[in-house]
Structures are given as C-alpha cells and as structure tokens.
Amino acid sequence: MNDRRERRFENLMDATGEGTKSGALDVAADYYLKMSGDNPAVPNGAVPDLMKQAVEKGSLTPNEIVDILYTDELPVEYSHEWSTGRGE
C-alpha cells in the first residue's frame, strides 16, 4: 500500500472513530450509500432529497438541512447565537 493510501485510511479511521480499516470502510460505505441513494439499500438518498427540497422551496433553513443530512455515521447539528447591544 502506498503512503497516500495509508494516510487516507488513517484519516478515515480518525474521522469515523473506528479502530480498524475495515470498520472505517464500513462506516464510510454506509454513509455514502445513505447520501447518494439510487441503490438497493437506500433508494432515496439524502443529497438528492436535499436538492429536491431546495428546488421546491427555493431555500432551506439550517435546521431543515440538518434534518435531511443527519445520519448516525456523521451526526449533523446546527446552533446559532446572536446578541444585540453590548453582549455582556
């Protein structure tokens, strides 16, 4: 295995929190299938759903995007904070 590929696997293991290459690949594959859709496991993926809703509504709120893109493999959260005045 070349260095570039080895680094990719190490980065994937870090990103997924998996201790093995095979575990990291399983998590990444599950995530990809859920995002892309158009496969027997997940006919309707999150990315096509996101695009469809954006076209239908014209825009989406961050919370709506979170609801569409959230998966167990890569939880997505949104928080927003703002203040006026001195912000003490």
Side-chain angles (χ1 to χ4, degrees), residues 28-81:
D30 286 344
Y31 180 75
Y32 182 89
L33 292 171
K34 288 177 182 176
M35 289 295 113
S36 67
D38 198 24
N39 60 75
V42 183
N44 302 310
V47 171
D49 184 32
L50 177 64
M51 300 305 287
K52 179 183 174 208
Q53 288 195 40
V55 168
E56 289 173 356
K57 294 182 177 183
S59 67
L60 298 170
T61 67
N63 285 327
E64 290 171 320
I65 294 169
V66 165
D67 288 342
I68 295 167
L69 294 182
Y70 182 94
T71 66
D72 291 338
E73 293 81 13
L74 184 63
V76 178
E77 296 178 0
Y78 170 74
S79 65
H80 182 77
E81 186 176 305

Tab-separated table of all heavy atoms in Angstrom, residues 28-81:
chain	number	residue	atom	x	y	z
A	28	ALA	N	-17.893	4.446	6.325
A	28	ALA	CA	-17.846	5.331	5.157
A	28	ALA	C	-18.772	4.831	4.055
A	28	ALA	O	-19.462	5.632	3.409
A	28	ALA	CB	-16.410	5.443	4.648
A	29	ALA	N	-18.803	3.524	3.843
A	29	ALA	CA	-19.669	2.968	2.801
A	29	ALA	C	-21.136	3.188	3.157
A	29	ALA	O	-21.938	3.570	2.295
A	29	ALA	CB	-19.384	1.480	2.612
A	30	ASP	N	-21.499	2.948	4.410
A	30	ASP	CA	-22.887	3.176	4.835
A	30	ASP	C	-23.275	4.641	4.625
A	30	ASP	O	-24.365	4.941	4.138
A	30	ASP	CB	-23.077	2.809	6.308
A	30	ASP	CG	-23.103	1.314	6.544
A	30	ASP	OD1	-23.283	0.546	5.571
A	30	ASP	OD2	-22.938	0.901	7.713
A	31	TYR	N	-22.384	5.540	5.008
A	31	TYR	CA	-22.661	6.972	4.851
A	31	TYR	C	-22.834	7.326	3.375
A	31	TYR	O	-23.773	8.020	3.002
A	31	TYR	CB	-21.531	7.788	5.480
A	31	TYR	CG	-21.744	9.277	5.361
A	31	TYR	CD1	-22.670	9.920	6.172
A	31	TYR	CD2	-21.037	10.034	4.442
A	31	TYR	CE1	-22.885	11.284	6.063
A	31	TYR	CE2	-21.242	11.397	4.332
A	31	TYR	CZ	-22.162	12.012	5.147
A	31	TYR	OH	-22.379	13.360	5.034
A	32	TYR	N	-21.945	6.844	2.538
A	32	TYR	CA	-22.025	7.133	1.112
A	32	TYR	C	-23.348	6.636	0.532
A	32	TYR	O	-24.020	7.352	-0.220
A	32	TYR	CB	-20.849	6.496	0.365
A	32	TYR	CG	-20.856	6.812	-1.108
A	32	TYR	CD1	-20.214	7.946	-1.584
A	32	TYR	CD2	-21.535	6.014	-2.019
A	32	TYR	CE1	-20.236	8.264	-2.931
A	32	TYR	CE2	-21.563	6.320	-3.366
A	32	TYR	CZ	-20.909	7.441	-3.809
A	32	TYR	OH	-20.949	7.759	-5.145
A	33	LEU	N	-23.734	5.423	0.878
A	33	LEU	CA	-24.991	4.871	0.366
A	33	LEU	C	-26.186	5.713	0.803
A	33	LEU	O	-27.095	5.965	0.017
A	33	LEU	CB	-25.163	3.428	0.816
A	33	LEU	CG	-24.186	2.428	0.204
A	33	LEU	CD1	-24.309	1.075	0.902
A	33	LEU	CD2	-24.383	2.295	-1.293
A	34	LYS	N	-26.178	6.158	2.060
A	34	LYS	CA	-27.287	6.970	2.565
A	34	LYS	C	-27.321	8.343	1.906
A	34	LYS	O	-28.387	8.902	1.669
A	34	LYS	CB	-27.185	7.131	4.078
A	34	LYS	CG	-27.524	5.865	4.825
A	34	LYS	CD	-27.350	6.024	6.320
A	34	LYS	CE	-27.652	4.716	7.023
A	34	LYS	NZ	-27.402	4.818	8.468
A	35	MET	N	-26.168	8.903	1.614
A	35	MET	CA	-26.115	10.220	0.997
A	35	MET	C	-26.481	10.162	-0.484
A	35	MET	O	-27.262	10.976	-0.967
A	35	MET	CB	-24.722	10.845	1.145
A	35	MET	CG	-24.380	11.272	2.553
A	35	MET	SD	-25.434	12.601	3.167
A	35	MET	CE	-26.315	11.739	4.456
A	36	SER	N	-25.920	9.196	-1.202
A	36	SER	CA	-26.105	9.164	-2.658
A	36	SER	C	-27.449	8.600	-3.079
A	36	SER	O	-28.045	9.066	-4.044
A	36	SER	CB	-24.996	8.347	-3.311
A	36	SER	OG	-25.102	6.983	-2.945
A	37	GLY	N	-27.936	7.584	-2.370
A	37	GLY	CA	-29.185	6.946	-2.771
A	37	GLY	C	-29.040	6.231	-4.093
A	37	GLY	O	-27.927	5.918	-4.522
A	38	ASP	N	-30.155	5.969	-4.730
A	38	ASP	CA	-30.187	5.293	-6.027
A	38	ASP	C	-29.458	3.954	-5.983
A	38	ASP	O	-28.714	3.604	-6.886
A	38	ASP	CB	-29.604	6.191	-7.122
A	38	ASP	CG	-30.000	5.724	-8.520
A	38	ASP	OD1	-31.036	5.041	-8.642
A	38	ASP	OD2	-29.271	6.026	-9.473
A	39	ASN	N	-29.667	3.223	-4.888
A	39	ASN	CA	-29.094	1.892	-4.749
A	39	ASN	C	-30.102	1.021	-3.993
A	39	ASN	O	-31.022	1.554	-3.375
A	39	ASN	CB	-27.740	1.959	-4.026
A	39	ASN	CG	-27.840	2.541	-2.638
A	39	ASN	OD1	-28.306	1.885	-1.717
A	39	ASN	ND2	-27.408	3.785	-2.482
A	40	PRO	N	-29.968	-0.300	-4.051
A	40	PRO	CA	-30.954	-1.165	-3.398
A	40	PRO	C	-31.093	-0.928	-1.891
A	40	PRO	O	-32.180	-1.050	-1.342
A	40	PRO	CB	-30.434	-2.576	-3.675
A	40	PRO	CG	-29.586	-2.446	-4.889
A	40	PRO	CD	-28.990	-1.068	-4.818
A	41	ALA	N	-30.002	-0.573	-1.228
A	41	ALA	CA	-30.054	-0.358	0.218
A	41	ALA	C	-30.810	0.914	0.580
A	41	ALA	O	-31.562	0.950	1.554
A	41	ALA	CB	-28.642	-0.304	0.800
A	42	VAL	N	-30.604	1.963	-0.201
A	42	VAL	CA	-31.223	3.263	0.063
A	42	VAL	C	-31.647	3.869	-1.273
A	42	VAL	O	-30.867	4.543	-1.937
A	42	VAL	CB	-30.247	4.224	0.789
A	42	VAL	CG1	-30.939	5.534	1.120
A	42	VAL	CG2	-29.660	3.594	2.025
A	43	PRO	N	-32.887	3.629	-1.678
A	43	PRO	CA	-33.321	4.152	-2.983
A	43	PRO	C	-33.317	5.679	-3.070
A	43	PRO	O	-33.028	6.237	-4.116
A	43	PRO	CB	-34.739	3.609	-3.137
A	43	PRO	CG	-34.845	2.485	-2.162
A	43	PRO	CD	-33.885	2.792	-1.055
A	44	ASN	N	-33.650	6.353	-1.977
A	44	ASN	CA	-33.735	7.822	-1.969
A	44	ASN	C	-32.688	8.390	-1.024
A	44	ASN	O	-32.863	8.373	0.188
A	44	ASN	CB	-35.126	8.272	-1.530
A	44	ASN	CG	-36.198	7.715	-2.436
A	44	ASN	OD1	-36.107	7.820	-3.649
A	44	ASN	ND2	-37.201	7.087	-1.852
A	45	GLY	N	-31.617	8.906	-1.573
A	45	GLY	CA	-30.527	9.420	-0.751
A	45	GLY	C	-30.788	10.803	-0.202
A	45	GLY	O	-31.662	11.543	-0.664
A	46	ALA	N	-29.978	11.172	0.789
A	46	ALA	CA	-30.141	12.465	1.450
A	46	ALA	C	-29.755	13.634	0.545
A	46	ALA	O	-30.415	14.670	0.568
A	46	ALA	CB	-29.312	12.495	2.734
A	47	VAL	N	-28.712	13.489	-0.245
A	47	VAL	CA	-28.300	14.605	-1.106
A	47	VAL	C	-29.353	14.877	-2.181
A	47	VAL	O	-29.746	16.041	-2.363
A	47	VAL	CB	-26.899	14.369	-1.709
A	47	VAL	CG1	-26.569	15.411	-2.756
A	47	VAL	CG2	-25.849	14.367	-0.597
A	48	PRO	N	-29.856	13.841	-2.880
A	48	PRO	CA	-30.936	14.136	-3.825
A	48	PRO	C	-32.167	14.731	-3.135
A	48	PRO	O	-32.816	15.624	-3.682
A	48	PRO	CB	-31.252	12.773	-4.445
A	48	PRO	CG	-29.985	11.997	-4.322
A	48	PRO	CD	-29.392	12.457	-3.026
A	49	ASP	N	-32.473	14.263	-1.926
A	49	ASP	CA	-33.606	14.821	-1.179
A	49	ASP	C	-33.355	16.284	-0.846
A	49	ASP	O	-34.247	17.126	-0.985
A	49	ASP	CB	-33.839	14.014	0.094
A	49	ASP	CG	-35.061	14.468	0.869
A	49	ASP	OD1	-36.046	14.931	0.242
A	49	ASP	OD2	-35.048	14.356	2.109
A	50	LEU	N	-32.138	16.601	-0.430
A	50	LEU	CA	-31.782	17.988	-0.128
A	50	LEU	C	-31.961	18.875	-1.361
A	50	LEU	O	-32.559	19.948	-1.283
A	50	LEU	CB	-30.340	18.058	0.369
A	50	LEU	CG	-29.780	19.436	0.671
A	50	LEU	CD1	-30.525	20.099	1.820
A	50	LEU	CD2	-28.295	19.345	0.976
A	51	MET	N	-31.464	18.419	-2.491
A	51	MET	CA	-31.573	19.203	-3.722
A	51	MET	C	-33.041	19.363	-4.147
A	51	MET	O	-33.456	20.451	-4.549
A	51	MET	CB	-30.771	18.537	-4.843
A	51	MET	CG	-29.289	18.412	-4.523
A	51	MET	SD	-28.512	19.970	-4.096
A	51	MET	CE	-28.465	20.735	-5.697
A	52	LYS	N	-33.808	18.299	-4.035
A	52	LYS	CA	-35.228	18.347	-4.405
A	52	LYS	C	-35.968	19.366	-3.549
A	52	LYS	O	-36.725	20.196	-4.062
A	52	LYS	CB	-35.852	16.964	-4.243
A	52	LYS	CG	-37.319	16.910	-4.568
A	52	LYS	CD	-37.879	15.525	-4.325
A	52	LYS	CE	-39.374	15.553	-4.511
A	52	LYS	NZ	-40.062	14.550	-3.722
A	53	GLN	N	-35.739	19.308	-2.240
A	53	GLN	CA	-36.429	20.247	-1.356
A	53	GLN	C	-35.980	21.682	-1.597
A	53	GLN	O	-36.779	22.615	-1.515
A	53	GLN	CB	-36.228	19.835	0.094
A	53	GLN	CG	-37.014	18.583	0.432
A	53	GLN	CD	-37.125	18.362	1.925
A	53	GLN	OE1	-37.325	19.308	2.690
A	53	GLN	NE2	-37.000	17.105	2.342
A	54	ALA	N	-34.701	21.878	-1.901
A	54	ALA	CA	-34.215	23.226	-2.185
A	54	ALA	C	-34.876	23.791	-3.437
A	54	ALA	O	-35.247	24.968	-3.470
A	54	ALA	CB	-32.696	23.209	-2.350
A	55	VAL	N	-35.042	22.953	-4.452
A	55	VAL	CA	-35.700	23.403	-5.673
A	55	VAL	C	-37.171	23.719	-5.403
A	55	VAL	O	-37.694	24.742	-5.834
A	55	VAL	CB	-35.558	22.343	-6.789
A	55	VAL	CG1	-36.472	22.646	-7.959
A	55	VAL	CG2	-34.113	22.248	-7.246
A	56	GLU	N	-37.834	22.838	-4.660
A	56	GLU	CA	-39.263	23.020	-4.382
A	56	GLU	C	-39.530	24.240	-3.514
A	56	GLU	O	-40.476	24.989	-3.753
A	56	GLU	CB	-39.832	21.770	-3.705
A	56	GLU	CG	-39.944	20.577	-4.629
A	56	GLU	CD	-40.357	19.299	-3.904
A	56	GLU	OE1	-40.491	19.308	-2.655
A	56	GLU	OE2	-40.529	18.279	-4.589
A	57	LYS	N	-38.693	24.455	-2.487
A	57	LYS	CA	-38.931	25.547	-1.539
A	57	LYS	C	-38.198	26.831	-1.901
A	57	LYS	O	-38.530	27.889	-1.388
A	57	LYS	CB	-38.509	25.113	-0.134
A	57	LYS	CG	-39.350	23.990	0.433
A	57	LYS	CD	-38.892	23.651	1.835
A	57	LYS	CE	-39.767	22.575	2.447
A	57	LYS	NZ	-39.366	22.286	3.827
A	58	GLY	N	-37.183	26.732	-2.722
A	58	GLY	CA	-36.386	27.909	-3.056
A	58	GLY	C	-35.225	28.127	-2.115
A	58	GLY	O	-34.189	28.628	-2.507
A	59	SER	N	-35.386	27.763	-0.869
A	59	SER	CA	-34.303	27.827	0.110
A	59	SER	C	-34.700	26.971	1.309
A	59	SER	O	-35.877	26.660	1.506
A	59	SER	CB	-34.020	29.258	0.551
A	59	SER	OG	-35.124	29.762	1.280
A	60	LEU	N	-33.703	26.612	2.086
A	60	LEU	CA	-33.932	25.809	3.283
A	60	LEU	C	-33.247	26.468	4.466
A	60	LEU	O	-32.206	27.108	4.317
A	60	LEU	CB	-33.356	24.398	3.104
A	60	LEU	CG	-33.947	23.542	1.997
A	60	LEU	CD1	-33.116	22.288	1.786
A	60	LEU	CD2	-35.378	23.168	2.323
A	61	THR	N	-33.814	26.281	5.632
A	61	THR	CA	-33.173	26.773	6.849
A	61	THR	C	-32.082	25.788	7.250
A	61	THR	O	-32.103	24.620	6.853
A	61	THR	CB	-34.188	26.896	7.996
A	61	THR	OG1	-34.619	25.584	8.370
A	61	THR	CG2	-35.374	27.768	7.603
A	62	PRO	N	-31.134	26.237	8.048
A	62	PRO	CA	-30.117	25.304	8.536
A	62	PRO	C	-30.728	24.103	9.263
A	62	PRO	O	-30.252	22.977	9.111
A	62	PRO	CB	-29.269	26.161	9.482
A	62	PRO	CG	-29.391	27.533	8.908
A	62	PRO	CD	-30.827	27.616	8.429
A	63	ASN	N	-31.781	24.328	10.029
A	63	ASN	CA	-32.412	23.206	10.737
A	63	ASN	C	-33.025	22.199	9.767
A	63	ASN	O	-32.991	20.992	10.011
A	63	ASN	CB	-33.472	23.702	11.719
A	63	ASN	CG	-32.855	24.304	12.949
A	63	ASN	OD1	-31.792	23.871	13.406
A	63	ASN	ND2	-33.498	25.316	13.494
A	64	GLU	N	-33.591	22.679	8.663
A	64	GLU	CA	-34.132	21.762	7.660
A	64	GLU	C	-33.014	20.954	7.000
A	64	GLU	O	-33.164	19.758	6.752
A	64	GLU	CB	-34.916	22.534	6.598
A	64	GLU	CG	-36.210	23.117	7.107
A	64	GLU	CD	-36.868	24.058	6.119
A	64	GLU	OE1	-36.171	24.836	5.456
A	64	GLU	OE2	-38.109	24.002	6.009
A	65	ILE	N	-31.893	21.587	6.754
A	65	ILE	CA	-30.750	20.890	6.164
A	65	ILE	C	-30.234	19.826	7.124
A	65	ILE	O	-29.948	18.692	6.719
A	65	ILE	CB	-29.637	21.887	5.790
A	65	ILE	CG1	-30.134	22.802	4.671
A	65	ILE	CG2	-28.362	21.162	5.390
A	65	ILE	CD1	-29.234	23.986	4.393
A	66	VAL	N	-30.132	20.176	8.397
A	66	VAL	CA	-29.699	19.209	9.411
A	66	VAL	C	-30.629	18.003	9.429
A	66	VAL	O	-30.171	16.857	9.474
A	66	VAL	CB	-29.627	19.868	10.801
A	66	VAL	CG1	-29.540	18.840	11.911
A	66	VAL	CG2	-28.453	20.822	10.864
A	67	ASP	N	-31.914	18.245	9.391
A	67	ASP	CA	-32.879	17.140	9.407
A	67	ASP	C	-32.681	16.200	8.224
A	67	ASP	O	-32.853	14.990	8.344
A	67	ASP	CB	-34.317	17.667	9.399
A	67	ASP	CG	-34.716	18.293	10.723
A	67	ASP	OD1	-34.046	18.033	11.746
A	67	ASP	OD2	-35.707	19.052	10.718
A	68	ILE	N	-32.296	16.729	7.092
A	68	ILE	CA	-32.114	15.908	5.900
A	68	ILE	C	-30.776	15.167	5.937
A	68	ILE	O	-30.698	13.990	5.598
A	68	ILE	CB	-32.199	16.779	4.630
A	68	ILE	CG1	-33.619	17.349	4.493
A	68	ILE	CG2	-31.823	15.978	3.383
A	68	ILE	CD1	-33.736	18.455	3.462
A	69	LEU	N	-29.705	15.837	6.349
A	69	LEU	CA	-28.361	15.264	6.255
A	69	LEU	C	-27.912	14.454	7.462
A	69	LEU	O	-26.901	13.758	7.393
A	69	LEU	CB	-27.335	16.378	6.000
A	69	LEU	CG	-27.442	17.091	4.666
A	69	LEU	CD1	-26.335	18.124	4.538
A	69	LEU	CD2	-27.412	16.116	3.502
A	70	TYR	N	-28.637	14.491	8.554
A	70	TYR	CA	-28.219	13.782	9.760
A	70	TYR	C	-28.189	12.272	9.513
A	70	TYR	O	-29.119	11.697	8.961
A	70	TYR	CB	-29.167	14.081	10.920
A	70	TYR	CG	-28.735	13.400	12.193
A	70	TYR	CD1	-27.951	14.070	13.110
A	70	TYR	CD2	-29.082	12.081	12.466
A	70	TYR	CE1	-27.531	13.457	14.270
A	70	TYR	CE2	-28.651	11.454	13.623
A	70	TYR	CZ	-27.877	12.142	14.522
A	70	TYR	OH	-27.447	11.520	15.659
A	71	THR	N	-27.113	11.640	9.916
A	71	THR	CA	-27.022	10.178	9.932
A	71	THR	C	-26.299	9.771	11.207
A	71	THR	O	-25.584	10.573	11.823
A	71	THR	CB	-26.225	9.614	8.736
A	71	THR	OG1	-24.864	10.016	8.852
A	71	THR	CG2	-26.805	10.056	7.409
A	72	ASP	N	-26.465	8.509	11.587
A	72	ASP	CA	-25.720	8.002	12.742
A	72	ASP	C	-24.214	8.028	12.477
A	72	ASP	O	-23.417	8.249	13.382
A	72	ASP	CB	-26.145	6.576	13.083
A	72	ASP	CG	-27.559	6.509	13.632
A	72	ASP	OD1	-28.060	7.534	14.139
A	72	ASP	OD2	-28.169	5.425	13.556
A	73	GLU	N	-23.832	7.794	11.207
A	73	GLU	CA	-22.419	7.768	10.858
A	73	GLU	C	-21.761	9.137	10.978
A	73	GLU	O	-20.600	9.247	11.336
A	73	GLU	CB	-22.223	7.252	9.415
A	73	GLU	CG	-22.588	5.807	9.219
A	73	GLU	CD	-24.098	5.591	9.042
A	73	GLU	OE1	-24.841	6.565	8.823
A	73	GLU	OE2	-24.527	4.437	9.134
A	74	LEU	N	-22.519	10.191	10.646
A	74	LEU	CA	-21.994	11.550	10.736
A	74	LEU	C	-23.105	12.472	11.216
A	74	LEU	O	-23.817	13.087	10.420
A	74	LEU	CB	-21.463	12.024	9.373
A	74	LEU	CG	-20.790	13.396	9.364
A	74	LEU	CD1	-19.547	13.408	10.241
A	74	LEU	CD2	-20.429	13.792	7.953
A	75	PRO	N	-23.271	12.545	12.535
A	75	PRO	CA	-24.315	13.422	13.065
A	75	PRO	C	-24.064	14.875	12.658
A	75	PRO	O	-22.933	15.334	12.633
A	75	PRO	CB	-24.184	13.263	14.583
A	75	PRO	CG	-23.473	11.964	14.771
A	75	PRO	CD	-22.562	11.829	13.588
A	76	VAL	N	-25.130	15.557	12.304
A	76	VAL	CA	-25.048	16.956	11.899
A	76	VAL	C	-25.905	17.755	12.865
A	76	VAL	O	-27.034	17.389	13.157
A	76	VAL	CB	-25.569	17.144	10.452
A	76	VAL	CG1	-25.519	18.603	10.048
A	76	VAL	CG2	-24.794	16.278	9.491
A	77	GLU	N	-25.338	18.849	13.367
A	77	GLU	CA	-26.065	19.715	14.282
A	77	GLU	C	-25.941	21.152	13.800
A	77	GLU	O	-24.989	21.510	13.113
A	77	GLU	CB	-25.491	19.622	15.696
A	77	GLU	CG	-25.636	18.269	16.337
A	77	GLU	CD	-25.008	18.226	17.721
A	77	GLU	OE1	-24.463	19.256	18.176
A	77	GLU	OE2	-25.051	17.163	18.327
A	78	TYR	N	-26.885	21.954	14.182
A	78	TYR	CA	-26.827	23.382	13.886
A	78	TYR	C	-27.116	24.143	15.161
A	78	TYR	O	-28.043	23.825	15.907
A	78	TYR	CB	-27.857	23.761	12.816
A	78	TYR	CG	-27.990	25.257	12.644
A	78	TYR	CD1	-27.007	25.979	11.991
A	78	TYR	CD2	-29.079	25.936	13.172
A	78	TYR	CE1	-27.105	27.351	11.843
A	78	TYR	CE2	-29.185	27.314	13.033
A	78	TYR	CZ	-28.203	28.009	12.370
A	78	TYR	OH	-28.293	29.370	12.237
A	79	SER	N	-26.308	25.147	15.418
A	79	SER	CA	-26.607	26.063	16.512
A	79	SER	C	-26.262	27.462	16.029
A	79	SER	O	-25.350	27.658	15.223
A	79	SER	CB	-25.816	25.710	17.769
A	79	SER	OG	-24.440	25.880	17.542
A	80	HIS	N	-27.012	28.387	16.512
A	80	HIS	CA	-26.821	29.775	16.098
A	80	HIS	C	-26.947	30.650	17.334
A	80	HIS	O	-27.827	30.447	18.150
A	80	HIS	CB	-27.880	30.162	15.056
A	80	HIS	CG	-27.711	31.546	14.556
A	80	HIS	ND1	-26.755	31.892	13.650
A	80	HIS	CD2	-28.370	32.682	14.857
A	80	HIS	CE1	-26.844	33.186	13.392
A	80	HIS	NE2	-27.811	33.685	14.114
A	81	GLU	N	-26.070	31.601	17.422
A	81	GLU	CA	-26.099	32.502	18.564
A	81	GLU	C	-25.969	33.926	18.047
A	81	GLU	O	-25.201	34.197	17.141
A	81	GLU	CB	-24.924	32.167	19.474
A	81	GLU	CG	-24.906	32.921	20.766
A	81	GLU	CD	-23.761	32.459	21.639
A	81	GLU	OE1	-23.662	31.258	21.917
A	81	GLU	OE2	-22.959	33.328	22.012
